[in-house]
């Protein structure tokens, strides 16, 4: 998404900035909050909790983006739709009164177009994620998640494509709806044996992207 309109809006205002440390939470699912948040720097993770208490990861965010849904325009307080946890050493987020944010959006055609695009992209992402989860099976889901990590954190290096962020097998399991990290361990070993990936300084290096793609229904 082209975020220059959002950046210009932020530059024109003096919104307070919230600074959070690694592994702390900005919001919890169901907790009432009166603010909208926009990521300024760092990496965060969104997740939800299933009725039986299991955590299901939604996505990592590491660029300028609205990270809390806006819901309706008039309610001062809303229930947070998901957990937001800090995954980098620290993260900075703009904190904006959500009712005022909506007023500003309604007064700016550029902001309106940005927010419409934001929801369109998020909807398409959610639909694609659901399709991949339903159609790929567990092994395909792991391959899909590694590919998504490459999209978010991928850096070209001499040996392949480095996912420049430490992601544990347990976290991958939570992204894929797999209850046991040991299952992911086996699938990661299978990908190593196939020559698709290797581990370097606790980070995943994709050595053959085509093998991942062959196991994904995109």
């Amino acid at each position: 998404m082209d975020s220059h309109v959002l950046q210009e809006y932020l530059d024109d205002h003096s919104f307070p900035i919230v600074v959070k440390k690694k592994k702390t939470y900005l919001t919890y699912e169901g907790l009432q909050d009166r603010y909208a948040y926009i990521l300024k720097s760092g990496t965060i993770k969104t997740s939800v909790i299933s009725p039986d208490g299991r955590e299901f990861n939604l996505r990592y965010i590491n660029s300028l983006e609205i990270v809390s849904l806006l819901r309706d325009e008039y309610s001062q307080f809303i229930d947070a739709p998901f957990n937001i946890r800090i995954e980098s050493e620290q993260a900075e987020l703009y904190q904006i009164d959500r009712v005022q944010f909506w007023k500003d959006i309604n007064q700016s055609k550029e902001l309106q177009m940005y927010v419409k695009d934001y929801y369109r992209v998020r909807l398409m992402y959610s639909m694609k994620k659901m399709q991949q989860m339903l159609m790929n099976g567990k092994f395909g889901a792991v391959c899909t998640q590694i590919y998504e990590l490459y999209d978010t954190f991928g850096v070209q290096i001499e040996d392949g494509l480095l996912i420049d962020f430490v992601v544990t097998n347990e976290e991958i399991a939570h992204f894929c709806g797999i209850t046991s990290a040991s299952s992911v361990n086996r699938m990661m070993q299978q990908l190593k044996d196939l020559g698709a990936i290797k581990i370097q300084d606790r980070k995943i290096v994709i050595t053959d992207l085509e093998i991942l793609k062959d196991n994904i229904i995109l």
Side-chain angles (χ1 to χ4, degrees), residues 27-216:
T27 63
Y28 292 95
E29 181 182 2
L31 183 69
Q32 287 201 329
D33 201 345
R34 60 174 293 182
Y35 298 106
Y37 296 95
I38 298 173
L39 182 63
K40 181 176 186 288
S41 65
T43 299
I44 63 172
K45 182 188 73 177
T46 58
S47 65
V48 294
I49 303 297
S50 66
D52 61 1
R54 288 185 294 131
E55 184 178 31
F56 181 78
N57 292 339
L58 299 175
R59 58 190 291 255
Y60 286 113
I61 303 172
N62 66 343
S63 59
L64 184 74
E65 185 177 317
I66 302 169
V67 299
S68 54
L69 299 182
L70 302 179
R71 295 277 183 95
D72 65 89
E73 301 179 35
Y74 307 108
S75 300
Q76 186 176 18
F77 291 89
I78 63 166
D79 292 344
F82 39 61
N83 303 319
I84 299 176
R85 193 177 81 166
I86 312 307
E87 297 298 312
S88 51
E89 290 304 315
Q90 76 170 32
E92 297 178 307
L93 301 104
Y94 296 97
Q95 184 185 64
I96 308 172
D97 181 275
R98 60 179 310 279
V99 175
Q100 183 60 52
F101 194 18
W102 267 116
K103 289 179 181 178
D104 293 341
I105 290 168
N106 289 331
Q107 292 171 5
S108 168
K109 288 185 178 179
E110 290 81 8
L111 269 179
Q112 288 175 32
M113 292 302 296
Y114 175 83
V115 171
K116 286 180 181 178
D117 193 38
Y118 166 80
Y119 278 113
R120 179 185 61 80
V121 170
R122 294 283 72 77
L123 177 61
M124 293 300 295
Y125 173 84
S126 298
M127 292 173 63
K128 184 177 180 181
K129 186 80 172 180
M130 184 179 298
Q131 179 189 36
Q132 291 172 340
M133 289 291 295
L134 291 173
M135 299 180 67
N136 278 311
K138 290 183 179 181
F139 186 71
V142 170
C143 292
T144 299
Q145 186 55 44
I146 294 173
Y147 190 88
E148 186 174 311
L149 291 170
Y150 151 69
D151 269 347
T152 305
F153 302 109
V155 176
Q156 182 74 52
I157 62 172
E158 184 177 350
D159 294 341
L161 301 165
L162 170 68
I163 296 173
D164 195 16
F165 191 76
V166 176
V167 182
T168 66
N169 289 350
E170 183 178 10
E171 290 288 7
I172 292 174
H174 289 167
F175 273 107
C176 299
I178 299 173
T179 56
S180 171
S182 61
S183 296
V184 176
N185 294 344
R186 289 192 295 272
M187 286 181 267
M188 293 292 282
Q189 185 59 53
Q190 185 176 348
L191 286 169
K192 291 177 190 176
D193 294 340
L194 289 170
I197 66 168
K198 67 178 182 179
I199 304 299
Q200 181 175 300
D201 297 327
R202 299 174 58 214
K203 297 177 181 178
I204 301 169
V205 177
I206 300 172
T207 49
D208 193 328
L209 191 61
E210 292 306 312
I211 293 176
L212 287 180
K213 290 181 178 180
D214 287 345
N215 290 280
I216 299 172

